[in-house]
Amino acid sequence: MKNNIIDFNGEFDVIPTGKKYAPRIKSVGPKEEKYTNSLKKSIIKSGLCDGMTISFHHHFRNGDYILNDVLNIIASLGIKNLTLAPSSLAAVHEPLIRHIENGVVTEILTSGLRGVLASKISSGLLKKPVIIRSHGGRARAIEAGDIKIDVAFLGTPSADAYGNANSVKGNSTCGSLGYARVDAEYAEHVIIITDCLIDYPNYPASISQKNVDQVVKVNAIGDPDKISTGATRFTKNPKELLMAKNVALIIQKTKYFKDGFSFQTGSGGASLAVTRFLREAMIEKSIKASFVLGGITKPMVEMYEEGLIKTLFDVQSFDKIAAESIQKNEEHFEIDASLYANPHNKGNIVNKLDVVILSALEIDTNFNVNVITGSNGEIMGASGGHSDTAACAKLTVVVAPLFRGRIPTVVKNVHNVITPGSSIDILVTERGIAINPLREDLIELFKDSSFNITSIQTLEKIARDYCGERKPVKFTDQTVGIIEYRDGTVIDLIKAVEKNV
Amino acid sequence: MGKLRRTMMYVPGNNPAMLTDAGIYGADSLMFDLEDSVALNQKDSARLLVYQMIKNNNYAQEVVVRINSLESDLGATDIEAMVRAGVDVIRLPKTETAEDVKKVENIIESVEKKIGIEIGHTKIMAAIEGPLGVINAYDIATASKRLIGIAIGAEDFVTSMKTKRSKSGVELLAARSQLVLAARAANIAALDTVFSNIDDSDGFKEEVKLIKSLGFDGKSVINPRQINLVHEIYKPTDAEIEDAKQIVYTIKEAEAKGSGVISLNGQMIDKPIVERAKRVLELSGLSEEVM
Amino acid sequence: MKINKEAIAGTLESSDIQITISKNHLIKNTIYLESPVKHLYEVAIKKVIMNTLEKHQITNANVKAIDQGALDCTIIARTQSAIYRATEKKEINWEAID
């Protein structure tokens, strides 16, 4: 049981002890059949019962049918008090509200929450607080046994009847199954759900037959158009382009921009646009990246194919081109969430990251970043890989507009901390750039530059001058969310928003 | 030397989001439009919006407002509102004669007197958009001490000339040349028209190179994307900058010594050369103090 | 000033505010506000609108404000514009506008 006590003590303070958690040993004989065409039968066969923990991945984004279909059946079977541990949740998972109200799901462990579900949880829909973990943190928790998954329901674009799942073959290619792979290795019982059955053997396998208990064929795993989105397009928004251009110029001025460097960008408009500007600079200066990490997009695949990037480490493919590139391009690798960012994984790749470009819902004058709750204090985002990458990258740049409409981004105190200020080096807004005082080297580097460098306090004041003095959000004493840092400590608590009747 | 006016970014006057963000893109001047980009039944609203924006936001750039023509009663009210707001420049559309400019000047002056600010504070820019205006360019350019620049508005001009715009710009050649001549003779700025196809950056660059060669000080832009393209083309080369630095340095040295005629590399450095050198430094963002 | 008719100013675009002024049956100003930042600025927005009404000596306006995150100067401008349209006054009272 998680304590509601904040015990975060620094990005790299915790030294783990103990052994890795492992599922029970099982046998499967030559005459046993893993395959069934009934999702309901598979759930019954799994032995799922009250109080257990079930998991899903979020590689299908808003096109996912699996989670809702499975929960509906579970509810109809009268099973209750489940802990739901998906890697994240999307707006399409709104039907969960009903299952929570009916006691089917009584606890949620996730990276993020959206829409009405998130808003209701912020008002106290769940008795137990939601536990928010980063991608690396979730992998850590699963490997350490903090999350013990009883049944993992893993949708895959294709599978063979023995359990080999491939993420590119099938009707809806989602690309990397990075988050699902950890579940497959550590869950007690793994059910692969697909709408495309391939003759044995379905290789190469993102999820291996050795981890799979059952394979179910359903009519549709999701909406193909929403699972595999069209090519990621560059923003045309002039404000985002302006900020992106500045981010790229800033990166180029640092010592990190050299042949063999590595980088990662978030999925926001400005973050993605940075890639385009970096590419121009890389061509101009004959600089090649050793690797790009995290969410992979078409522009990155194109840079790889141009010879500008040596390796693509893909934990999530953002579009169809990226998905297909995994099979097409030799150095495009699918990586699991643990190898990606688990701090207690000896080889976590984020350690090798030179530059990361991230966004923020809020950032305060201590550079703490909030990507989980909005200006009204309600949960509306996801922890994602933010704290993982920010802690480890040699240069962490947050790019965000100073205010969005009338909502200030730079504030005196964020509502919730996902990433501590010590992890953030530079904030780039359209009205000024602030460097974390901890980075004296960067302050010195940019001292006489033509960039509009100012203090974060000044930025906060400018935002406040434009938007006005905010009325503080009223919270109650009830904790509705526990934000767990990647190392397992608690970095912040999310309180319930007081609702006026 | 004069203010840099390489880019004047055009912002529709009835759009709060664009007005708020206008200053972040690095244009030399901003032009808030009350005329063609605002629907007839929204002109009163746009006027008040631009008024409040100018009054309450501290734009770092020069702020120009394009008013409605004085033919309707909109123009006069626009002028009063903008002068009260503290605008830097009033831009008059479709200027045909020196008289048009004088009418604007009179209204500006009466408002300045009324509100008690320095007479002459508010400047004027005249947009020339028809053949008569082109013919009268010099008279217009010298019609008022407040007049700091003349601009060509191509769309209306080309229509009155009964022709259309082309890639080569030959239909505008006479107008552009006449305008620059007048501006230089009157010692004021010459500004070129907008280029509407934001996606055609090659075509845009060609046009900017053309007008730079003709001697224009700058161009109106309608999208932030166009700003850097103009500034790049107007930037002197490193060699030009080095030469300019040398010239200015030599002059300073000579002045300090009290020398008379100055020469550098066997060439006499007279006033025009010095002026050009200073302009080069200005365009590259280096003031002579850098020396 | 007297409100002669119902009038609207502003748009529903992002960062704008649409102000509709009509005659109130009560002898006071009432403001109905819809805004995505109501939780942050409800009081501030209403204050700005009320202030603008009072400066123009309006005492019986029924104001409906549909906001899309407008900043103060926009709110003031749109309210002023709605006032002039509603009162059908041609001359601008510059002391009140300021």
Side-chain angles (χ1 to χ4, degrees):
Chain A
M1 268 285 89
K2 199 79 232 186
N3 294 327
N4 291 12
I5 296 168
I6 291 176
D7 56 350
F8 170 75
N9 197 28
E11 296 151 285
F12 300 105
D13 185 67
V14 169
I15 297 179
T17 56
K19 289 199 168 275
K20 273 196 205 164
Y21 171 78
R24 288 190 307 277
I25 302 172
K26 286 192 189 160
S27 71
V28 172
K31 296 209 176 73
E32 284 175 56
E33 180 58 70
K34 293 186 185 180
Y35 173 76
T36 168
N37 63 1
S38 160
L39 193 47
K40 185 167 179 179
K41 280 203 189 117
S42 74
I43 294 172
I44 297 170
K45 189 171 173 203
S46 75
L48 182 68
C49 59
D50 286 6
M52 282 191 170
T53 299
I54 59 174
S55 81
F56 302 83
H57 64 71
H58 70 285
H59 289 292
F60 295 165
R61 293 174 275 264
N62 257 325
D64 178 49
Y65 292 167
I66 307 264
L67 191 148
N68 289 336
D69 287 350
V70 167
L71 259 312
N72 285 341
I73 296 172
I74 288 175
S76 74
L77 290 170
I79 299 172
K80 299 219 182 287
N81 287 324
L82 294 178
T83 295
L84 182 65
S87 52
S88 195
L89 291 168
V92 70
H93 299 128
E94 196 177 307
L96 273 173
I97 296 174
R98 199 172 24 97
H99 296 305
I100 296 171
E101 287 168 346
N102 295 334
V104 178
V105 170
T106 49
E107 187 174 9
I108 296 182
L109 320 170
T110 177
S111 166
L113 288 165
R114 299 198 152 85
V116 186
L117 170 64
S119 164
K120 285 200 178 256
I121 286 176
S122 285
S123 307
L125 178 67
L126 273 170
K127 285 207 184 59
K128 290 191 203 152
V130 161
I131 301 181
I132 302 290
R133 292 187 173 94
S134 69
H135 292 322
R138 177 178 188 267
R140 180 211 63 75
I142 292 173
E143 289 191 3
D146 290 353
I147 304 176
K148 293 185 179 67
I149 304 169
D150 293 296
V151 186
F153 296 94
L154 306 176
T156 69
S158 71
D160 62 37
Y162 203 37
N164 292 308
N166 177 291
S167 60
V168 185
K169 294 182 210 166
N171 310 315
S172 335
T173 58
C174 64
S176 175
L177 285 168
Y179 304 126
R181 287 167 71 151
V182 182
D183 298 37
E185 280 182 51
Y186 289 85
E188 287 298 336
H189 192 98
V190 175
I191 303 178
I192 296 292
I193 305 168
T194 187
D195 56 12
C196 178
L197 203 60
I198 306 270
D199 288 337
Y200 184 84
N202 184 29
Y203 263 52
S206 306
I207 293 172
S208 162
Q209 59 197 24
K210 72 181 169 83
N211 290 323
V212 174
D213 292 88
Q214 299 191 71
V215 177
V216 183
K217 180 161 184 297
V218 294
N219 285 335
I221 55 174
D223 179 346
D225 293 326
K226 293 188 184 147
I227 290 176
S228 148
T229 60
T232 312
R233 277 192 334 259
F234 280 121
T235 179
K236 280 194 164 177
N237 179 312
K239 200 189 291 193
E240 290 182 332
L241 288 173
L242 172 74
M243 294 190 289
K245 187 110 229 281
N246 276 328
V247 170
L249 287 170
I250 283 171
I251 292 171
Q252 284 166 62
K253 200 168 157 74
T254 67
K255 61 185 179 192
Y256 307 112
F257 188 64
K258 60 183 200 283
D259 201 39
F261 88 116
S262 61
F263 69 94
Q264 172 162 356
T265 74
S267 52
S271 308
L272 280 179
V274 175
T275 313
R276 178 166 72 170
F277 294 117
L278 273 183
R279 173 184 168 272
E280 287 166 18
M282 288 163 72
I283 293 174
E284 202 193 327
K285 300 202 163 91
S286 300
I287 286 177
K288 292 184 179 30
S290 53
F291 70 88
V292 164
L293 176 63
I296 302 298
T297 59
K298 170 177 180 249
M300 290 165 181
V301 171
E302 285 173 343
M303 284 171 74
Y304 167 93
E305 289 171 353
E306 273 180 295
L308 291 169
I309 302 172
K310 177 164 160 245
T311 310
L312 295 170
F313 286 130
D314 190 354
V315 75
Q316 181 175 4
S317 314
F318 275 142
D319 57 43
K320 207 172 159 104
I321 307 294
E324 286 164 357
S325 165
I326 293 178
Q327 299 238 275
K328 200 172 93 168
N329 290 315
E330 252 182 46
E331 306 290 320
H332 184 163
F333 300 107
E334 191 178 332
I335 54 165
D336 66 69
S338 183
L339 186 64
Y340 166 44
N342 173 2
H344 301 166
N345 177 314
K346 288 192 275 191
N348 68 104
I349 307 182
V350 283
N351 282 339
K352 306 288 292 169
L353 200 53
D354 288 318
V355 179
V356 67
I357 299 127
L358 299 165
S359 63
L361 282 177
E362 294 181 321
I363 178 167
D364 65 26
T365 47
N366 288 314
F367 288 85
N368 296 311
V369 174
N370 175 10
V371 287
I372 190 75
T373 50
S375 66
N376 58 2
E378 285 187 2
I379 302 172
M380 59 174 280
S383 174
H386 205 283
S387 56
D388 298 313
T389 51
C392 301
K394 296 190 185 68
L395 178 70
T396 303
V397 181
V398 168
V399 53
L402 188 60
F403 46 93
R404 294 174 169 100
R406 197 176 171 165
I407 299 177
T409 306
V410 183
V411 294
K412 285 210 171 103
N413 288 297
V414 291
H415 284 123
N416 293 105
V417 180
I418 287 285
T419 300
S422 48
S423 296
I424 308 295
D425 299 314
I426 302 183
L427 166 67
V428 175
T429 75
E430 80 285 13
R431 287 164 204 268
I433 294 162
I435 303 176
N436 192 327
L438 293 171
R439 291 300 301 256
E440 286 172 359
D441 59 324
L442 293 174
I443 293 174
E444 184 60 39
L445 178 66
F446 287 101
K447 202 165 57 167
D448 293 316
S449 70
S450 58
F451 291 106
N452 179 10
I453 311 280
T454 182
S455 72
I456 195 158
Q457 286 78 6
T458 304
L459 288 178
E460 189 275 322
K461 180 163 193 304
I462 297 174
R464 197 160 21 96
D465 284 343
Y466 272 103
C467 303
E469 199 71 52
R470 297 185 302 168
K471 173 171 153 220
V473 177
K474 278 215 178 81
F475 294 101
T476 72
D477 283 327
Q478 182 188 3
T479 301
V480 293
I482 295 172
I483 300 177
E484 188 184 279
Y485 191 64
R486 56 194 305 244
D487 61 7
T489 59
V490 173
I491 189 169
D492 204 357
L493 300 172
I494 305 175
K495 296 292 186 188
V497 176
E498 202 176 82
K499 282 284 180 196
N500 306 329
V501 174
Chain B
M1 203 61 266
K3 189 191 165 340
L4 272 181
R5 290 197 177 89
R6 301 162 297 175
T7 44
M8 178 163 342
M9 191 162 90
Y10 175 111
V11 184
N14 204 28
N15 189 318
M18 289 177 79
L19 288 167
T20 303
D21 287 341
I24 67 179
Y25 299 109
D28 289 333
S29 311
L30 303 174
M31 192 193 80
F32 298 159
D33 182 38
L34 298 176
E35 201 222 6
D36 283 351
S37 70
V38 179
L40 191 54
N41 64 1
Q42 297 305 327
K43 294 217 186 257
D44 57 335
S45 221
R47 181 188 301 130
L48 287 172
L49 182 63
V50 172
Y51 172 89
Q52 292 295 346
M53 284 280 172
I54 296 177
K55 205 136 187 77
N56 292 301
N57 291 334
N58 219 355
Y59 294 101
Q61 301 84 352
E62 173 181 73
V63 175
V64 179
V65 171
R66 181 167 75 172
I67 58 167
N68 290 282
S69 131
L70 291 184
E71 276 172 25
S72 67
D73 48 8
L74 291 167
T77 320
D78 288 342
I79 294 176
E80 170 141 30
M82 295 308 128
V83 173
R84 284 179 176 270
V87 76
D88 295 312
V89 183
I90 298 278
R91 177 165 161 145
L92 177 67
K94 303 174 174 61
T95 316
E96 307 231 282
T97 64
E99 198 47 48
D100 293 338
V101 175
K102 291 196 167 78
K103 280 192 191 137
V104 170
E105 182 173 40
N106 289 339
I107 301 175
I108 293 177
E109 190 166 314
S110 73
V111 180
E112 283 175 344
K113 281 201 179 113
K114 225 192 302 186
I115 62 178
I117 64 172
E118 179 203 338
I119 309 295
H121 169 88
T122 317
K123 308 289 181 245
I124 303 174
M125 189 181 285
I128 290 170
E129 306 181 57
L132 187 58
V134 173
I135 290 170
N136 292 334
Y138 181 70
D139 285 343
I140 291 168
T142 49
S144 161
K145 280 204 170 64
R146 296 173 188 259
L147 202 86
I148 46 125
I150 44 180
I152 176 92
E155 293 308 318
D156 284 38
F157 176 79
V158 153
T159 309
S160 334
M161 293 292 280
K162 299 195 180 165
T163 176
K164 357 188 251 266
R165 295 201 67 174
S166 73
K167 242 182 157 17
S168 71
V170 72
E171 68 285 352
L172 288 173
L173 203 47
R176 279 177 166 147
S177 309
Q178 189 79 318
L179 205 100
V180 180
L181 281 165
R184 293 293 164 252
N187 202 17
I188 60 171
L191 298 163
D192 192 47
T193 187
V194 304
F195 185 93
S196 344
N197 189 354
I198 346 177
D199 294 320
D200 179 10
S201 48
D202 286 335
F204 179 73
K205 283 192 263 190
E206 283 310 304
E207 186 162 292
V208 177
K209 286 183 189 144
L210 169 66
I211 60 134
K212 183 183 175 213
S213 300
L214 286 173
F216 276 87
D217 292 284
K219 197 170 174 59
S220 285
V221 294
I222 53 170
N223 185 288
R225 238 188 284 172
Q226 296 178 326
I227 295 172
N228 280 335
L229 294 176
V230 176
H231 291 183
E232 268 309 304
I233 291 168
Y234 267 78
K235 206 157 58 155
T237 63
D238 286 340
E240 285 172 327
I241 295 172
E242 270 319 299
D243 285 345
K245 278 184 185 174
Q246 267 214 312
I247 290 169
V248 173
Y249 177 70
T250 307
I251 289 292
K252 280 198 147 177
E253 258 207 338
E255 276 170 0
K257 288 194 195 133
S259 308
V261 171
I262 303 129
S263 86
L264 177 65
N265 300 333
Q267 194 189 28
M268 208 173 69
I269 303 181
D270 52 10
K271 193 155 182 278
I273 293 180
V274 177
E275 291 301 304
R276 265 210 300 279
K278 284 185 183 171
R279 179 136 182 86
V280 164
L281 291 180
E282 195 181 64
L283 281 176
S284 35
L286 301 162
S287 78
E288 37 179 301
E289 267 64 69
V290 165
M291 312 313 335
Chain C
M1 299 214 280
K2 272 188 122 63
I3 296 171
N4 291 344
K5 59 172 193 173
E6 180 178 284
I8 309 179
T11 72
L12 298 171
E13 297 290 309
S14 180
S15 297
D16 204 346
I17 183 168
Q18 189 186 72
I19 303 275
T20 307
I21 294 187
S22 55
K23 228 187 293 202
N24 203 344
H25 304 300
L26 312 160
I27 310 297
K28 66 172 188 162
N29 294 321
T30 54
I31 303 172
Y32 165 78
L33 173 68
E34 272 177 31
S35 170
V37 291
K38 210 165 164 178
H39 55 287
L40 297 173
Y41 303 115
E42 177 177 12
V43 170
I45 294 171
K46 285 183 174 168
K47 193 161 164 209
V48 162
I49 297 175
M50 194 62 91
N51 218 354
T52 310
L53 292 169
E54 285 166 4
K55 270 188 156 180
H56 284 86
Q57 280 128 15
I58 307 279
T59 50
N60 64 334
N62 179 16
V63 179
K64 179 169 151 197
I66 313 291
D67 174 49
Q68 300 296 339
L71 302 181
D72 278 353
C73 49
T74 306
I75 300 172
I76 294 172
R78 294 328 200 178
T79 306
Q80 288 172 338
S81 183
I83 289 172
Y84 278 93
R85 289 175 176 182
T87 58
E88 291 179 305
K89 196 150 185 290
K90 291 287 174 200
E91 275 295 310
I92 296 185
N93 175 356
W94 289 107
E95 278 64 48
I97 291 280
D98 214 345

